[in-house]
Amino acid sequence: MQTGKIGVTTENIFPVIKKFLYSDHEIFLRELVSNAVDATQKLRTLGVTGDFKGEMGELKVSVKLDEAAGTLTISDNGIGMTAEEIDKYINQIAFSGVTDFLDKYKDKAEAIIGHFGLGFYSAFMVAKKVDIITKSYKEGAQAVKWSCDGSPAFSIEEVEKDGRGSDIVLHIDDECKEFLQKAKIQELLNKYCKFMAVPIAFGKQTEWKDGKSVETEEDFIVNSVAPLWTKTPSGLKDEDYKSFYRSLFPMNDEPLFWIHLNVDYPFNLTGILYFPRVKNNIELQRNKIQLFCNQVFVTDQVEGIVPEFLTLLHGVIDSPDIPLNVSRSYLQSDANVKKISQYITKKVADRLNSIFKENRKEYEEKWNDLKLFVNYGMLSENDFYDRAKDFSLFTDVEGKYFTFDEYHTLIKDNQTDKDGNLIYLYATQKDEQYSYIEAAKNKGYSVLLADDQLDVPAISMLEQKFEKSRFVRVDSDVIDRIIAKENTPEMKLEDTQRDILSASFQSQMPKVEKAEFMVDVQALGETAHPVLITQNEYMRRMKEMSRYQQGMGFYAQMPDTYTLVLNADHALIKKVLEEGEKNTADALKPILSEIKGLEARETILRQEQGKKKPEEVTQAEKDDLKQTEDAISKQRDEKQNVIANYAKGNDAIHQLIDLALLQNGMLKGEALDKFIKRSVGLIK
């Protein structure tokens, strides 16, 4: 028996392996099965080159559990090792059998995976002792057993073994007993080894016999050695792609379409990426891309490895140029990964563009499912916007689809305001904003529908891209002010009349949670609604954007601000004004006279003090001005009270306010109950 110490350049190598080599202990099974597949693939390559002339037999890897003995064994019938090779590839951690093998067979080697030196030591993350029982494929080779208990000390002895290959026997540590459970090993094999290139056997097939499930003599193979992405696209049918998708994501709806990736220069990459039906919840759709290296699972945490928006795609990416390492920070900084990311972005854009050009009708039918993905891409990747602007679509409230250029041509003549700005009108809720949409359509304007999760952020982005253009929600103001033309109607009311109307309605506005109201009087024409509620485009959009962007929490805390617009041309508003003037005239006359006199005095005092330097103004003069200002404020409050007392008893004012609130879904609770009772009374 030979004994010795493992050649390492770092002291205490095993604690380092246990804690820092891999981010997750379960990865040990991937490494050991990969090594076994590697050894088997090497034998297959030697057979092709003529360096191995013996009987190859059925090549496979076997995983066996012995719960009683506390062992997990990974076996292969590949090339095996001699005692000298164990010393070189196992005892010297810095060496790798893969490197030497590839140097010799770089033009013929099949799917060589793993790193047979360092990867093997991941076994010690879960095992207190590891045995290697191995016999080389070379003629006359002697089988040997290598043992190590997790310290640098090891032993090698000659043993008997039937047939070539290696058995890696893990004596599972007491703290890792979960890896002696069949269900756990099955889960890990399915996760990491589902598509490895050599059959992997774990347990036996079962069949239903005499009313119960019994094992057969046939091995249960856990993997598919030739997954769909390794096959030539020209030989595959749509159903093949759909079936593979169902095997990957059995609970998902059928995908929209897919891209079969297959490139060998300037890097190697294969895979299939599916476009899922993504309608609202972005977070639920992430982490559905599985990253492989030569059919060995690497990770499904691909954020930062591929562009953010591509994480919404589903499927697999396989590349030998992606290092078999689960460190995401390593992957994110790897040059090959960045090239692959750029390539996939281009392929995705090219695929969407080709579908759009070849079958626009089909593309439009799928647009509602694609829109979130495309918007996400344009928002997060400027390069993707440059590609996507030609196949990204607008949808109007009539359900018609337009490219950006087509829509620009449609509205440029009619929806340009007096300052030369092109106004894109949009609605976010077609039913709730129906009246505003109809008002715009009556003017001959087109209204876009922006009811998707990322439509509002996309609109803000497009405003930066489009020249001299603004996007305005259709209920943000009266339509004549949203697209202001030269012939804006003039207001014919006097200031006192405007005050009576504004104060009458302002004083009777009900309390609405997290909402503030202002009142404005406009000349909208006799046929327009008597009242309507608008919401400032800028503030509303800032509040909406705060849901998506960090650092905008200030806007999220602010109340919603609305404007109640009174149409001074409408008969009902004229009637309210007429009654208001009649009922408040006597009470307002002395108040208005007093205000007029006080305001004249205030003007004189300010003019006199304005002629002096600040330090020359006496305290008495300052007090005089302050008392005048307070007196004006008091009289204005009196004026408001007089108008409010009149308005309180005017059912028409309350009815008009409630109708405006009801139209916007803001009339609830007690206010709604009062409205119903008042309406019944008016019908009588």
Side-chain angles (χ1 to χ4, degrees):
M1 177 187 292
Q2 175 189 350
T3 60
K5 289 194 174 183
I6 295 167
V8 293
T9 56
T10 304
E11 293 183 3
N12 301 321
I13 187 66
F14 290 101
V16 172
I17 287 170
K18 284 181 178 288
K19 291 184 179 180
F20 304 115
L21 178 57
Y22 293 97
S23 61
D24 195 335
H25 282 193
E26 68 182 29
I27 209 74
F28 82 93
L29 190 60
R30 184 194 76 178
E31 290 295 315
L32 297 180
V33 174
S34 295
N35 287 344
V37 169
D38 186 11
T40 310
Q41 292 283 66
K42 286 179 180 179
L43 185 73
R44 187 176 288 165
T45 300
L46 292 172
V48 172
T49 61
D51 291 279
F52 173 67
K53 297 182 174 59
E55 182 64 34
M56 197 164 295
E58 180 188 4
L59 297 177
K60 68 177 180 180
V61 173
S62 297
V63 179
K64 297 176 183 176
L65 270 177
D66 188 336
E67 193 171 354
T71 60
L72 174 65
T73 302
I74 296 92
S75 303
D76 68 73
N77 54 353
I79 59 172
M81 288 182 288
T82 63
E84 291 78 10
E85 287 169 334
I86 282 183
D87 188 55
K88 181 177 181 180
Y89 299 135
I90 300 298
N91 294 338
Q92 301 298 321
I93 287 178
F95 293 156
S96 171
V98 173
T99 303
D100 287 354
F101 190 83
L102 282 178
D103 285 344
K104 186 174 181 181
Y105 297 104
K106 59 185 176 182
D107 296 324
K108 300 185 180 73
E110 288 186 50
I112 306 303
I113 57 179
H115 302 277
F116 199 77
L118 203 55
F120 162 75
Y121 278 91
S122 64
F124 287 97
M125 292 191 295
V126 300
K128 56 190 176 186
K129 179 185 177 184
V130 178
D131 299 325
I132 303 176
I133 302 166
T134 183
K135 185 176 182 181
S136 173
Y137 73 96
K138 297 173 183 175
E139 191 173 347
Q142 170 64 51
V144 294
K145 177 181 180 181
W146 176 94
S147 294
C148 179
D149 62 0
S151 69
F154 70 88
S155 66
I156 298 180
E157 59 181 313
E158 294 183 356
V159 293
E160 294 298 318
K161 185 182 186 311
D162 295 330
R164 65 175 189 270
S166 302
D167 300 330
I168 312 297
V169 184
L170 278 63
H171 299 264
I172 301 299
D173 194 284
D174 292 341
E175 297 177 357
C176 302
K177 292 297 185 184
E178 62 180 306
F179 298 111
L180 290 174
Q181 298 172 7
K182 182 177 180 180
K184 181 64 175 179
I185 298 303
Q186 182 70 55
E187 173 195 338
L188 297 184
L189 289 173
N190 188 60
K191 178 177 180 179
Y192 293 107
C193 311
K194 190 175 182 178
F195 299 114
M196 287 188 179
V198 172
I200 300 166
F202 180 59
K204 299 294 182 180
Q205 295 272 19
T206 59
E207 64 179 15
W208 199 256
K209 190 174 183 180
D210 297 331
K212 60 181 180 179
S213 179
V214 295
E215 287 190 349
T216 66
E217 293 300 314
E218 187 178 353
D219 287 334
F220 178 74
I221 304 300
V222 302
N223 60 319
S224 170
V225 298
L228 202 67
W229 75 81
T230 65
K231 299 178 181 179
T232 305
S234 60
L236 299 173
K237 299 177 181 178
D238 285 358
E239 184 51 41
D240 296 324
Y241 288 104
K242 292 176 183 178
S243 177
F244 183 61
Y245 185 78
R246 287 193 293 270
S247 72
L248 291 173
F249 312 107
M251 303 303 291
N252 283 28
D253 293 334
E254 189 174 286
L256 296 170
F257 40 81
W258 47 86
I259 303 172
H260 195 137
L261 305 169
N262 193 348
V263 61
D264 54 15
Y265 182 82
F267 45 78
N268 292 294
L269 177 73
T270 55
I272 302 172
L273 293 178
Y274 292 88
F275 288 80
R277 297 179 185 275
V278 183
K279 287 190 176 178
N280 41 46
N281 198 323
I282 289 177
E283 293 305 320
L284 291 178
Q285 302 295 335
R286 294 183 190 277
N287 300 330
K288 298 293 183 69
I289 294 179
Q290 299 175 8
L291 212 55
F292 288 80
C293 175
N294 280 330
Q295 297 175 227
V296 181
F297 179 80
V298 178
T299 182
D300 59 5
Q301 302 290 321
V302 297
E303 295 99 325
I305 301 168
V306 300
E308 183 79 5
F309 77 103
L310 289 183
T311 62
L312 297 185
L313 294 179
H314 296 176
V316 297
I317 299 171
D318 191 338
S319 174
D321 295 321
I322 296 175
L324 191 62
N325 183 306
V326 296
S327 166
R328 289 184 63 232
S329 60
Y330 185 97
L331 286 168
Q332 290 169 21
S333 63
D334 186 79
N336 283 321
V337 173
K338 290 180 180 178
K339 291 177 185 176
I340 289 169
S341 174
Q342 294 167 354
Y343 169 79
I344 294 171
T345 301
K346 180 180 182 301
K347 290 292 288 184
V348 166
D350 290 347
R351 174 69 167 138
L352 288 170
N353 196 36
S354 67
I355 294 172
F356 171 70
K357 288 182 175 179
E358 293 167 10
N359 192 336
R360 177 160 175 172
K361 186 175 185 297
E362 178 191 358
Y363 186 84
E364 288 179 355
E365 289 171 352
K366 295 177 178 178
W367 176 246
N368 286 340
D369 293 302
L370 282 174
K371 182 168 61 170
L372 184 69
F373 171 83
V374 175
N375 279 344
Y376 195 10
M378 291 194 299
L379 284 164
S380 58
E381 294 286 327
N382 198 55
D383 289 346
F384 186 75
Y385 169 82
D386 292 337
R387 299 178 185 276
K389 60 182 171 57
D390 294 328
F391 56 76
S392 185
L393 300 179
F394 285 136
T395 311
D396 71 7
V397 291
E398 306 293 335
K400 297 176 183 177
Y401 297 91
F402 307 86
T403 65
F404 294 167
D405 287 342
E406 289 168 350
Y407 198 73
H408 177 273
T409 301
L410 176 72
I411 68 171
K412 66 179 181 179
D413 293 332
N414 199 29
Q415 292 182 210
T416 300
D417 67 11
K418 61 184 177 65
D419 298 319
N421 295 307
L422 185 60
I423 308 301
Y424 290 76
L425 299 173
Y426 71 95
T428 54
Q429 295 173 315
K430 192 162 64 170
D431 291 336
E432 293 184 15
Q433 294 155 11
Y434 177 83
S435 296
Y436 302 92
I437 295 170
E438 288 300 301
K441 288 165 65 176
N442 289 338
K443 291 281 187 179
Y445 300 151
S446 173
V447 181
L448 296 172
L449 185 61
D451 59 353
D452 202 59
Q453 187 178 0
L454 292 181
D455 276 348
V456 172
I459 279 170
S460 296
M461 178 262 302
L462 291 176
E463 277 185 328
Q464 305 300 315
K465 302 289 186 181
F466 295 175
E467 290 185 6
K468 211 165 184 187
S469 299
R470 287 192 297 116
F471 283 75
V472 186
R473 203 167 87 174
V474 73
D475 61 345
S476 65
D477 206 336
V478 297
I479 193 63
D480 286 332
R481 294 211 300 183
I482 292 178
I483 306 180
K485 304 292 187 178
E486 294 294 348
N487 56 343
T488 304
E490 293 183 7
M491 178 65 62
K492 298 178 181 179
L493 297 181
E494 296 177 359
D495 289 345
T496 302
Q497 292 174 313
R498 290 172 62 98
D499 288 346
I500 289 174
L501 279 176
S502 296
S504 294
F505 282 83
Q506 184 77 63
S507 65
Q508 303 309 306
M509 291 299 298
K511 299 293 183 183
V512 177
E513 187 178 1
K514 295 183 179 179
E516 292 181 354
F517 292 90
M518 297 179 293
V519 177
D520 190 17
V521 183
Q522 293 291 324
L524 306 180
E526 294 180 355
T527 58
H529 289 306
V531 293
L532 72 157
I533 291 174
T534 63
Q535 187 177 15
N536 178 269
E537 174 73 14
Y538 176 79
M539 289 303 299
R540 179 192 50 73
R541 200 187 297 183
M542 289 301 101
K543 285 178 68 66
E544 290 179 354
M545 292 289 287
S546 69
R547 300 203 303 264
Y548 306 101
Q549 296 185 15
Q550 293 182 348
M552 297 184 67
F554 167 74
Y555 290 102
Q557 301 303 317
M558 294 181 67
D560 292 317
T561 55
Y562 300 92
T563 300
L564 180 72
V565 181
L566 309 179
N567 179 8
D569 294 332
H570 197 280
L572 286 173
I573 301 300
K574 288 180 178 179
K575 184 178 179 181
V576 169
L577 175 58
E578 183 182 340
E579 292 181 358
E581 288 181 304
K582 180 180 177 181
N583 284 275
T584 61
D586 292 342
L588 286 181
K589 187 174 181 179
I591 296 173
L592 293 175
S593 177
E594 182 69 15
I595 290 175
K596 187 175 181 180
L598 288 169
E599 287 178 339
R601 176 172 175 74
E602 180 189 28
T603 301
I604 293 171
L605 291 175
R606 288 188 182 279
Q607 288 175 347
E608 291 177 350
Q609 293 185 20
K611 297 174 183 177
K612 299 179 180 181
K613 295 179 180 179
E615 60 271 18
E616 294 175 347
V617 179
T618 66
Q619 187 61 44
E621 290 173 326
K622 292 178 181 177
D623 292 344
D624 193 3
L625 179 59
K626 177 68 168 56
Q627 290 169 3
T628 303
E629 290 171 343
D630 290 345
I632 292 172
S633 179
K634 182 179 179 181
Q635 290 299 314
R636 286 174 178 169
D637 288 343
E638 283 293 323
K639 182 180 76 170
Q640 297 295 99
N641 289 334
V642 169
I643 298 172
N645 286 332
Y646 147 71
K648 187 176 181 181
N650 189 312
D651 283 344
I653 292 175
H654 294 104
Q655 197 74 358
L656 288 168
I657 289 173
D658 288 351
L659 284 170
L661 292 170
L662 186 66
Q663 182 186 18
N664 288 269
M666 301 166 70
L667 190 65
K668 300 175 183 178
E670 183 182 359
L672 178 59
D673 184 62
K674 287 182 178 180
F675 169 75
I676 294 171
K677 291 176 180 177
R678 189 187 321 112
S679 299
V680 172
L682 291 172
I683 293 171
K684 292 177 181 178

